[in-house]
Amino acid sequence: MGWWNYYGWQVYEGKTLYKDLFCFVPPTYVWVMAFLYSIFSTHILWYQLLGIIMFDCLGVLFFLMLYRVGKPILSMIAVSGGIAACLMAPYMIFFDYTTFLMFFVYLSCYFLVVSIERNDYRKYLFTLLSGISFGIAFMTKQTMIPFIVFALVILMFCYFSRMFSRKTFLVRTCWFFLGMLVTIAPQIYYLFETDSMSLFLSQTF
């Protein structure tokens, strides 16, 4: 926690990632920490409270997705069991990049499920929100989790594409990738603007 708080402080003070600071993750989480530093400074308690709220939201999102395919009581049992398993870990840091990453992965899946259920124009809005959320998760840390989720998302689209025309499927896919582009493009621009793309690649891969 203190490590990322330090990164946030340095970026808030004007340091450039990958040039002035060695960093092994993409910019998203560090930028978030810099923003939070401007509000909470070094008061770790506030970060933990924010993490607890985000952790609770994870449970809610998981329940809302399970609720759509199963009974409410079974969904609640599954969510409660998952939360209990997480809390049994030797140590639990509520607000770190893992919680942040999983929150936006779950949020992306939830928006995608909602978009598939809808038949009105808002289905494209939720598809766009799903892409934005996934783009944030994708640029949080170079891990296989977003890629696995992405594969599941594609399979889900392929399965549910039987419910609507090929044109609608392609339009939804374009909205999803547009959402990803909304979050990824500014970070790519930052890397080129600060002449740190090569450093970014060498430090994160």
Side-chain angles (χ1 to χ4, degrees):
M1 186 66 200
W3 185 0
W4 298 112
N5 194 254
Y6 171 79
Y7 271 106
W9 167 51
Q10 291 294 293
V11 172
Y12 178 74
E13 292 294 329
K15 297 293 181 65
T16 301
L17 279 177
Y18 315 111
K19 294 184 78 173
D20 302 325
L21 294 168
F22 176 88
C23 187
F24 62 92
V25 298
T28 300
Y29 185 68
V30 180
W31 286 356
V32 170
M33 291 301 295
F35 172 73
L36 293 177
Y37 179 85
S38 68
I39 301 173
F40 302 138
S41 185
T42 56
H43 300 290
I44 301 298
L45 176 62
W46 293 110
Y47 294 91
Q48 288 291 69
L49 289 175
L50 179 62
I52 291 172
I53 294 172
M54 187 171 286
F55 188 78
D56 291 338
C57 290
L58 279 174
V60 172
L61 289 171
F62 193 38
F63 172 78
L64 291 175
M65 285 187 289
L66 291 179
Y67 177 75
R68 284 170 160 76
V69 296
K71 296 180 179 180
I73 185 65
L74 294 178
S75 301
M76 183 60 70
I77 292 173
V79 172
S80 300
I83 292 175
C86 291
L87 294 177
M88 288 175 62
Y91 61 90
M92 183 67 191
I93 302 175
F94 285 100
F95 191 75
D96 65 354
Y97 63 79
T98 303
T99 306
F100 186 84
L101 170 67
M102 292 307 300
F103 173 79
F104 282 100
V105 168
Y106 277 46
L107 190 63
S108 176
C109 293
Y110 173 73
F111 282 140
L112 186 60
V113 169
V114 174
S115 73
I116 291 172
E117 290 180 340
R118 289 188 172 274
N119 292 318
D120 57 3
Y121 71 94
R122 285 181 291 182
K123 62 179 177 286
Y124 299 121
L125 173 61
F126 284 107
T127 305
L128 178 70
L129 292 174
S130 176
I132 290 174
S133 301
F134 184 80
I136 295 173
F138 182 79
M139 293 298 287
T140 296
K141 190 177 187 297
Q142 65 283 24
T143 174
M144 288 303 296
I145 292 177
F147 292 100
I148 294 172
V149 174
F150 181 75
L152 294 176
V153 165
I154 295 300
L155 289 175
M156 186 182 298
F157 262 105
C158 292
Y159 175 79
F160 283 101
S161 65
R162 295 178 299 176
M163 300 171 55
F164 39 75
S165 66
R166 179 178 298 180
K167 178 181 178 181
T168 304
F169 171 72
L170 292 175
V171 172
R172 286 174 182 251
T173 303
C174 290
W175 277 103
F176 182 84
F177 280 106
L178 177 62
M180 286 188 62
L181 187 63
V182 167
T183 54
I184 294 176
Q187 300 183 59
I188 300 299
Y189 174 79
Y190 167 83
L191 294 172
F192 280 110
E193 183 68 18
T194 58
D195 195 26
S196 55
M197 174 60 80
S198 59
L199 293 172
F200 163 75
L201 294 174
S202 65
Q203 293 176 26
T204 57
F205 294 99

